[in-house]
Amino acid sequence: MPQGSLMLKTGGASLRVPAHEPVTESVADLLAHEQPHDYKSSSLSVGAGGVAGRKVPRIELPESDGRPAWNSKLQYILAQVGFSVGLGNVWRFPYLCQKNGGGAYLVPYFILLLLIGIPLFFLELAVGQKIRRGSLGVWNYVCPRLGGIGISSLMVCGFVGLYYNVIIGWSIFYFFQSFQQPLPWSECPIRRNGTFAFVEPECEKSSATTYFWYRQTLNTTSTIAESGGLNVKMTVSLLVAWIIVCLAVIKGIASSGKVMYFSSLFPYVVLFCFLVRGLMLKGSVDGIAHMFTPKLEKMLEPQVWREAATQVFFALGLGFGGVIAFSSYNKIDNNCHFDAVLVSVINFMTSILATLVVFAVLGFKANIMNEKCVTENSEKILGYLNANVLSHDLIPLHVNFSQMTVTDYAEVYGVIKTVKEGGFADLGLDQCLLEDELNKSVQGTGLAFIAFTEAMTHFPGSPFWSVMFFFMLINLGLGSMIGTMTGITTPVLDAYKVKKEYLTVGCCIVAFFLGLLFVQRSGNYFVTMFDDYSAGLPLTVVVILENVSVAWIYGTKRFMQDLEDMLGFRPYSFYFYMWKYVSPLCLILLITSTVIEMAISPPGYNAWIQELAKERFESYPPWALGMCYALIFAALLPLPVVFIARHFNLMSDGSNKLSVSYRKTMMKEMSSLETPDESHFILTKPGEAPPPLPPHRALLAPGGKPVDPNSLSPKSCYGTGYQNAATTPESDS
């Protein structure tokens, strides 16, 4: 306690009390100045000494406990939006919407957003804000035996960050290549052999954009077993990507928060620009109409619901630790319920906006490709007419081959097919249906770097739109990477005294060298492997354990009470039933279906075969298959290891190092009692028993039973509020 005098606050006035006067101290005062110690082996004791009948003014607590904080609520919301809205909203959601029934897919997606997405997102925001720690600290406090949740979450963040930044590197490469007129992927390259010039065969068999992606960008090998050495262009791009990420997060939220003002908002500017431009293109309405035409029968298929649940799960960034880390920098009384609903709705609406943009542009591309098909097949028919293979009498008089329309071609095609029924297949004519072009499903890199890129080559001023598109992808990826890196660095900084600049730079350097696996010529196949195996199943397990630890071990009733104390209002009972029953059940079904899907689907990847100039599915060799399962095993291993170690007292449960912010939160709650209630914390005269705690502030276990502070057990699971006592799960069931 400082020498001289204490600044005390009574009502709205400040009062100095000379240090030599006998001042009766409260438990809240003692908590404010004591060093961290093991709360499990201690009890709140009331000692002797003091002045009878004297009221002790409440000490004024500092607003800041030394933990960084967001400059504004807007900055925090933009950070959460930037983390949750990522590349998947642009190239995964539209594909799933098209594949699973168009507009009908939105129904199961929205239902599962309400049952899984918003409740679990709210849960992560609440525990991070209450305990003010990263994922390691949070789950150590909620339930030490399940402290492996935080380690698994951190490991998944590491795996995802390694390959996710490679995608940003690809976008950076395309961004700089876009400053050319014409775009380098708009035409096939011409090769020369002396005086003889010819089109590159691999490009001629595929397309200019496909060739540029697989050969000139990735220079990919035909199998995962063939390394091919490092791709220098992609290595430099990856280095640039890690430098950008490092600069964005090097100062923690002080730097990343400022970056989010641009990286979170700029993609919306680009999406709206693309939407307006796309709606002005021929065929855009066809694409949007095809997209949102509901196929209601699809809603009855279990696969549709499984994929909708998976998309909801990953769209909000659940289980990564980034949500908890960002929330831990909030004020304790921040309305995290409002934040959860707002960010979830923004994420959903962004997916809808991106879907409109993608299919407006793909509708335009489908019309271009359909007209090209009509032109090529019209030339074939004209050749057959000139060679007398077909009779001129078959062609309607109004048909003009120099200006063949889609409608005229369909009429000619139908006549020829009817007349030449036996030998029609030998003519090699295509039907050229717009529906067939629109049904060609593309997702992921195939959508961003091939299909969408090809469509932009037909835009007037195509370099400008290409620059805008890939700059948008860079910002979408950067927002997600900032959240991923925060999910890694925040728990480490909470647990160890490390300078954040050194930790950030060290993580980025290590990640760059580990990421060289993905920039060798076969690196694209490893990106696919990590995307399929490193996050899906482990994250689902992590989130269901988060749900169970809060709802069934800590107790839903206790958690709801903590939320009421923290927010100033009690959340809807809807959340009680979601956390307690519905969300765990949905997650169990999701895990079961994921395991079944992995068991029945042959593990493999789509390899680019140079000689055939097309993709072909290849099974993983044994060593690669072992690597796939090793990723899952490594991510899940901390869960049983920590559980066993703490069950047998082989390691500390982490609860004896309460953070300064957590202890001060406890002290604030205790010192904010009404004036008559403060008598419970005043040290009484020798031999005088303290008065009983008032009923509305007693430390109660679920069921209304008072908690004995001495009953704390080393094997207990601790809560996120001031009710830090051991209780059994059954007491809250």
Side-chain angles (χ1 to χ4, degrees):
M1 189 168 293
Q3 300 295 320
S5 64
L6 292 175
M7 179 67 74
L8 300 175
K9 187 175 180 181
T10 308
S14 296
L15 171 68
R16 284 191 179 274
V17 180
H20 61 271
E21 284 192 27
V23 178
T24 305
E25 294 188 359
S26 68
V27 173
D29 298 330
L30 294 174
L31 279 173
H33 301 288
E34 72 178 22
Q35 296 299 318
H37 66 280
D38 193 342
Y39 279 85
K40 296 184 302 173
S41 58
S42 66
S43 61
L44 297 178
S45 59
V46 182
V51 179
R54 174 168 182 166
K55 290 186 178 179
V56 179
R58 187 174 59 193
I59 189 167
E60 182 177 11
L61 300 174
E63 287 297 323
S64 174
D65 55 16
R67 187 175 184 82
W70 298 103
N71 290 335
S72 66
K73 181 65 173 282
L74 175 62
Q75 189 180 79
Y76 164 68
I77 292 296
L78 290 178
Q80 290 287 15
V81 169
F83 177 52
S84 66
V85 175
L87 297 173
N89 296 76
V90 174
W91 68 31
R92 178 70 177 166
F93 185 89
Y95 161 76
L96 291 175
C97 201
Q98 179 193 24
K99 174 187 174 185
N100 295 316
Y105 173 75
L106 299 179
V107 176
Y109 183 88
F110 187 73
I111 291 174
L112 291 168
L113 181 65
L114 293 177
L115 298 183
I116 299 178
I118 295 178
L120 295 180
F121 191 60
F122 181 26
L123 185 146
E124 289 201 355
L125 291 180
V127 295
Q129 180 173 306
K130 180 67 179 179
I131 302 179
R132 296 174 63 78
R133 300 294 294 272
S135 56
L136 288 178
V138 160
W139 303 114
N140 277 337
Y141 289 141
V142 173
C143 182
R145 288 184 184 179
L146 294 180
I149 294 174
I151 303 175
S152 290
S153 177
L154 192 148
M155 293 190 68
V156 172
C157 275
F159 289 150
V160 172
L162 288 178
Y163 77 83
Y164 202 88
N165 220 28
V166 174
I167 301 174
I168 298 179
W170 294 341
S171 302
I172 290 172
F173 176 76
Y174 267 77
F175 172 75
F176 285 107
Q177 291 291 314
S178 298
F179 291 94
Q180 301 181 46
Q181 176 68 11
L183 291 170
W185 50 81
S186 59
E187 296 178 354
C188 286
I190 304 298
R191 306 299 183 198
R192 295 191 177 276
N193 185 6
T195 58
F196 179 68
F198 60 95
V199 177
E200 172 64 42
E202 186 180 3
C203 184
E204 190 174 23
K205 293 177 183 177
S206 54
S207 68
T209 51
T210 304
Y211 174 81
F212 187 87
W213 168 244
Y214 282 111
R215 188 55 50 213
Q216 295 188 270
T217 301
L218 301 178
N219 194 19
T220 188
T221 58
S222 296
T223 66
I224 193 173
E226 182 184 353
S227 167
L230 288 178
N231 183 330
V232 177
K233 292 182 289 187
M234 292 302 99
T235 303
V236 173
S237 299
L238 179 63
L239 178 61
V240 173
W242 276 114
I243 290 174
I244 293 173
V245 171
C246 186
L247 293 176
V249 299
I250 194 166
K251 294 290 186 181
I253 63 171
S255 57
S256 63
K258 294 179 176 64
V259 172
M260 285 296 185
Y261 280 115
F262 182 81
S263 65
S264 296
L265 294 176
F266 180 75
Y268 291 96
V269 175
V270 176
L271 285 174
F272 277 111
C273 289
F274 264 98
L275 180 61
V276 173
R277 185 68 186 91
L279 291 175
M280 297 168 63
L281 297 172
K282 179 183 177 182
S284 61
V285 177
D286 296 328
I288 294 175
H290 174 79
M291 180 69 251
F292 287 102
T293 301
K295 303 177 182 65
L296 298 178
E297 66 278 4
K298 284 278 189 179
M299 291 178 59
L300 302 178
E301 299 178 9
Q303 176 74 3
V304 173
W305 290 83
R306 187 187 74 84
E307 293 190 342
T310 304
Q311 180 63 17
V312 166
F313 188 82
F314 291 108
L316 294 174
L318 299 174
F320 281 96
V323 172
I324 293 176
F326 280 152
S327 183
S328 71
Y329 298 113
N330 267 332
K331 294 180 179 179
I332 193 69
D333 59 350
N334 173 64
N335 189 347
C336 55
H337 174 254
F338 172 80
D339 300 341
V341 175
L342 177 64
V343 173
S344 300
V345 170
I346 291 175
N347 188 292
F348 179 61
M349 297 308 296
T350 303
S351 298
I352 300 296
L353 174 62
T355 301
L356 288 171
V357 171
V358 166
F359 277 90
V361 174
L362 292 184
F364 165 70
K365 174 180 174 287
N367 270 267
I368 294 288
M369 300 306 295
N370 199 49
E371 290 176 356
K372 182 179 178 181
C373 175
V374 168
T375 302
E376 291 175 350
N377 283 272
S378 296
E379 291 176 355
K380 285 184 182 181
I381 294 173
L382 193 58
Y384 292 142
L385 291 173
N386 293 333
N388 293 322
V389 175
L390 295 175
S391 170
H392 287 79
D393 296 335
L394 298 177
I395 309 302
L397 296 177
H398 66 274
V399 172
N400 184 354
F401 276 91
S402 62
Q403 295 179 345
M404 178 76 78
T405 65
V406 175
T407 305
D408 288 344
Y409 176 78
E411 184 179 353
V412 172
Y413 179 89
V415 171
I416 296 175
K417 185 176 182 180
T418 303
V419 174
K420 289 283 188 178
E421 185 176 355
F424 179 77
D426 298 332
L427 297 178
L429 297 178
D430 297 318
Q431 194 171 2
C432 296
L433 291 177
L434 181 63
E435 189 75 11
D436 292 341
E437 288 292 336
L438 292 171
N439 281 331
K440 292 180 179 178
S441 301
V442 286
Q443 65 165 322
T445 54
L447 173 63
F449 297 103
I450 298 177
F452 210 90
T453 303
E454 182 176 353
M456 287 188 296
T457 60
H458 301 287
F459 282 20
S462 55
F464 168 78
W465 294 103
S466 183
V467 167
M468 292 281 284
F469 177 71
F470 289 108
F471 194 38
M472 177 190 73
L473 292 188
I474 292 170
N475 280 276
L476 284 173
L478 180 60
S480 297
M481 275 302 298
I482 288 174
T484 302
M485 287 295 293
T486 305
I488 295 173
T489 58
T490 296
V492 176
L493 291 171
D494 287 339
Y496 305 100
K497 293 182 179 179
V498 184
K499 196 169 183 180
K500 66 167 66 92
E501 290 84 354
Y502 295 158
L503 175 64
T504 302
V505 172
C507 287
C508 291
I509 291 174
V510 172
F512 168 72
F513 284 105
L514 292 176
L516 295 178
L517 172 70
F518 306 102
V519 292
Q520 54 185 336
R521 289 181 57 198
S522 61
N524 183 41
Y525 307 138
F526 287 99
V527 170
T528 302
M529 175 193 292
F530 272 64
D531 191 39
D532 290 341
Y533 289 93
S534 68
L537 183 60
L539 271 187
T540 312
V541 174
V542 163
V543 173
I544 192 172
L545 290 178
E546 290 180 357
N547 194 168
V548 168
S549 64
V550 171
W552 287 92
I553 298 179
Y554 177 67
T556 314
K557 292 179 183 177
R558 295 175 65 196
F559 187 56
M560 293 287 281
Q561 182 60 49
D562 284 344
L563 289 175
E564 184 176 358
D565 294 339
M566 185 170 68
L567 304 177
F569 64 90
R570 192 172 186 85
Y572 300 114
S573 299
F574 165 82
Y575 291 105
F576 178 92
Y577 295 105
M578 291 301 106
W579 290 327
K580 190 84 171 179
Y581 306 109
V582 179
S583 294
L585 178 61
C586 291
L587 290 173
I588 290 172
L589 292 175
L590 179 58
I591 289 177
T592 304
S593 61
T594 301
V595 172
I596 293 174
E597 180 72 17
M598 292 175 63
I600 63 177
S601 300
Y605 61 101
N606 289 320
W608 178 256
I609 309 302
Q610 183 174 2
E611 295 76 18
L612 303 176
K614 65 179 183 180
E615 287 185 336
R616 185 173 68 192
F617 183 82
E618 298 284 346
S619 297
Y620 284 120
W623 64 267
L625 191 59
M627 189 173 177
C628 294
Y629 293 126
L631 290 172
I632 299 175
F633 180 76
L636 294 178
L637 184 61
L639 297 171
V641 168
V642 172
F643 183 88
I644 293 171
R646 286 180 173 162
H647 179 77
F648 293 103
N649 296 323
L650 300 178
M651 64 182 294
S652 168
D653 63 14
S655 64
N656 60 337
K657 294 181 180 179
L658 288 174
S659 65
V660 173
S661 60
Y662 188 68
R663 287 186 292 111
K664 289 189 175 182
T665 298
M666 293 171 60
M667 178 188 56
K668 282 186 178 183
E669 291 173 341
M670 298 170 70
S671 63
S672 63
L673 302 175
E674 299 172 4
T675 303
D677 297 339
E678 292 189 1
S679 60
H680 301 287
F681 301 107
I682 300 175
L683 300 181
T684 58
K685 292 181 179 181
E688 180 179 341
L693 288 172
H696 69 288
R697 294 298 293 185
L699 300 182
L700 301 177
K705 298 179 181 180
V707 172
D708 179 7
N710 294 310
S711 66
L712 299 177
S713 165
K715 297 180 181 179
S716 299
C717 290
Y718 298 90
T720 58
Y722 55 81
Q723 304 102 319
N724 218 29
T727 59
T728 60
E730 290 79 6
S731 64
D732 186 51
S733 58

